Amino acid sequence: MILNLFLNNAGSHRGAWRHTSTRLEEVHDIKHFQQIAIRAEAARIDSLFIADGLSIEAKAVQHGPILGFEPLTLLSSIATVTEKIGLIATVSTSFNEPYNLARIFASLDHISGGRAGWNMVTTGVERTAFNFGLQQLPSHKERYERAHEFAEVVLKLWDSWEEDALVQDKASGIYADVDKVHDIHHEGTYFKVRGVLNIMRPPQGRPLLVQAGASEEGKQFAAQYAELIFTVQNSLEDAKLFYQDIRARTAAAGRSPDSIKILPGLLVIVGATDAEAQEKANELQQIAPIERAVMSISNLLGIDFSVYSLDDPFPELPEPSQVNAYQTFHQMVRKIIVKEKLTIRELLNKYWVGAGQLQAVGTPEHIADLMETWFVEEAADGFSVMPQLTFGGTDDFLELVVPELQRRGLFPTAYDKQTLRENLGLG
């Protein structure tokens, strides 16, 4: 089983910042994140993951710490206090340039000794376009066309240095072999990039490629490029279908199905008893602002839900292909409301603790049971674990659930290799 830990300042629950355990003076302190990383590495967690966005609503800042440090900057700091744990950052293909991204991730891979991973996203929030001089967000189709070419250019740049290009021979006066360093001469629809990358080949050859979209275009993009997928699945049946679909698409793209690992998001609250865990969940629900949940689902679906009464039936959604937001969340919500006929408030309270991810509330044994079932029944290769409370909740998972998984032989007790790829069993 692969375990990735979602790094958050206060927790993945929207009410986490108001909880009595949360030390607000630490949520924007680099030492807070470094200490989490050190404890996660001691528990042998495979990787840390930082989500990111490039815009916020000004009125949203009332409801808690929305976003924080830029991911590559934060992970570079974490790399200096850790040795084995993987470091995965989200960076958009819609609002960056391939050369800059290739250089930054190659740098993180060198700084960390081969532990970098890039979560490739296309960005589906309309207001983000306005921060980069655009009048509107490019279409879903165009964003993925750009993402394909973006990834192609980045891979060419990482490969512009051959593995043994660096000579460093003082006697001969040759620092690098010019025959093994190549301009890429890329000319495409979105990018024209000529030169060689100005940093030598990353220790992993290339940082790990991660993807999180579940639209038709997103799944095809993953099948071609991704090695790790973060997905939103809240039922075992849907997760198994997604797992089978991705593996089939990966094989059809000419890759081994085993070259891609699938990790659903898992929101966790751990208690000594199920009742204690449920009490924690209820307390968080009572202090979570419903307004923040409305903003979140509005952003992800591209629909302004603030114009509706919360006790109205959830409005009928168009086909996912007809929207220009995040089709992954559109598909998931559409499926829920067709099946359950919920009001807006009911859907937000039941499913929108994080952003629709699977929830596990209970004892370490209960949570391990759920994880084992999904793993054994081939619904997941592991999980992207999202503690609903960072302060206390993260340690509960690391100190109680991880040892239970190890006791069952589902999770290793030590890192076998140095690089993130090697520890995940990827080439």
Side-chain angles (χ1 to χ4, degrees):
M1 187 182 293
I2 296 167
L3 293 181
N4 170 73
L5 181 64
F6 191 99
L7 267 188
N8 206 309
N9 40 28
S12 291
H13 196 288
R14 274 178 288 276
W17 75 275
R18 299 181 63 193
H19 194 268
T20 55
S21 68
T22 299
R23 299 186 292 275
L24 289 177
E25 67 276 11
E26 296 182 22
V27 298
H28 298 301
D29 186 339
I30 185 63
K31 294 178 183 177
H32 165 59
F33 295 95
Q34 290 176 331
Q35 288 302 314
I36 294 173
I38 290 168
R39 295 196 296 273
E41 187 169 72
R44 205 277 177 212
I45 297 297
D46 288 290
S47 56
L48 302 171
F49 168 65
I50 301 179
D52 194 36
L54 298 170
S55 64
I56 61 169
E57 288 184 82
K59 62 183 179 181
V61 301
Q62 173 185 344
H63 301 300
I66 309 302
L67 296 171
F69 297 118
E70 187 280 319
L72 273 298
T73 308
L74 176 56
L75 290 177
S76 293
S77 172
I78 288 173
T80 66
V81 297
T82 56
E83 296 181 353
K84 298 288 187 179
I85 197 165
L87 308 169
I88 300 173
T90 298
V91 179
S92 172
T93 60
S94 300
F95 300 103
N96 282 287
E97 290 294 321
Y99 197 95
N100 287 341
L101 183 141
R103 184 188 186 199
I104 292 169
F105 271 101
S107 297
L108 179 61
D109 209 45
H110 280 286
I111 290 167
S112 65
R115 296 185 280 139
W118 170 31
N119 181 36
M120 308 176 286
V121 299
T122 60
T123 305
V125 177
E126 182 79 30
R127 78 172 53 81
T128 303
F130 309 150
N131 290 345
F132 291 85
L134 301 181
Q135 297 301 309
Q136 63 181 19
L137 187 70
S139 70
H140 187 271
K141 181 176 182 291
E142 183 181 350
R143 295 199 305 272
Y144 269 101
E145 288 174 349
R146 177 186 167 99
H148 275 273
E149 189 177 340
F150 194 112
E152 179 186 346
V153 176
V154 169
L155 292 175
K156 286 179 180 178
L157 287 166
W158 285 334
D159 283 340
S160 64
W161 285 72
E162 294 183 28
E163 188 170 352
D164 55 351
L166 203 61
V167 178
Q168 295 180 309
D169 187 341
K170 291 183 179 181
S172 67
I174 297 175
Y175 191 79
D177 186 340
V178 296
D179 294 327
K180 296 183 178 180
V181 181
H182 313 282
D183 287 336
I184 68 170
H185 296 290
H186 175 90
E187 291 197 17
T189 303
Y190 296 95
F191 304 108
K192 291 184 179 180
V193 182
R194 176 181 177 180
V196 62
L197 192 62
N198 61 347
I199 184 171
M200 59 280 192
R201 187 178 181 85
Q204 295 185 97
R206 66 184 191 198
L208 188 76
L209 298 181
V210 185
Q211 191 268 350
S215 65
E216 186 66 23
E217 291 88 347
K219 288 187 286 190
Q220 286 301 110
F221 183 63
Q224 183 171 349
Y225 294 108
E227 297 160 295
L228 200 67
I229 294 183
F230 297 150
T231 180
V232 179
Q233 306 292 334
N234 49 44
S235 79
L236 180 62
E237 178 185 357
D238 287 345
K240 290 169 75 171
L241 291 173
F242 181 85
Y243 188 93
Q244 294 162 7
D245 184 25
I246 288 295
R247 287 176 64 87
R249 289 172 188 262
T250 304
R255 300 171 55 201
S256 166
D258 294 329
S259 67
I260 194 165
K261 307 295 183 183
I262 301 168
L263 276 61
L266 179 66
L267 288 153
V268 294
I269 294 182
V270 186
T273 65
D274 286 333
E276 179 187 303
Q278 190 58 54
E279 185 178 344
K280 291 182 184 180
N282 293 341
E283 182 181 2
L284 280 171
Q285 195 67 16
Q286 290 169 8
I287 59 177
I290 194 74
E291 296 85 359
R292 179 68 190 99
V294 171
M295 291 180 192
S296 170
I297 200 168
S298 297
N299 283 337
L300 293 175
L301 298 188
I303 297 169
D304 184 4
F305 284 92
S306 66
V307 302
Y308 295 93
S309 166
L310 291 175
D311 297 308
D312 285 344
F314 204 96
E316 184 176 346
L317 297 178
E319 290 287 340
S321 60
Q322 297 175 356
V323 300
N324 194 27
Y326 287 106
Q327 293 190 11
T328 299
F329 296 100
H330 217 276
Q331 292 172 357
M332 178 189 68
V333 172
R334 196 166 185 265
K335 193 168 187 176
I336 290 170
I337 61 176
V338 167
K339 181 179 179 181
E340 300 190 36
K341 310 294 184 186
L342 301 173
T343 66
I344 296 173
R345 187 189 305 275
E346 287 169 340
L347 183 135
L348 292 176
N349 285 338
K350 184 174 181 180
Y351 290 104
W352 221 253
V353 167
Q357 291 89 354
L358 176 68
Q359 298 181 49
V361 177
T363 63
E365 293 78 15
H366 171 83
I367 294 171
D369 285 344
L370 182 149
M371 297 173 75
E372 181 173 8
T373 297
W374 280 51
F375 180 67
V376 170
E377 295 196 19
E378 295 188 343
D381 294 307
F383 296 88
S384 187
V385 178
M386 306 170 68
Q388 295 193 33
L389 273 172
T390 295
F391 292 85
T394 300
D395 287 339
D396 285 344
F397 182 83
L398 297 177
E399 296 171 6
L400 300 173
V401 180
V402 171
E404 177 62 21
L405 294 170
Q406 291 170 333
R407 185 187 67 78
R408 300 181 188 200
L410 294 168
F411 189 67
T413 57
Y415 299 99
D416 294 329
K417 307 289 185 181
Q418 170 59 39
T419 72
L420 174 56
R421 288 180 171 282
E422 290 171 332
N423 283 315
L424 297 183
L426 295 168

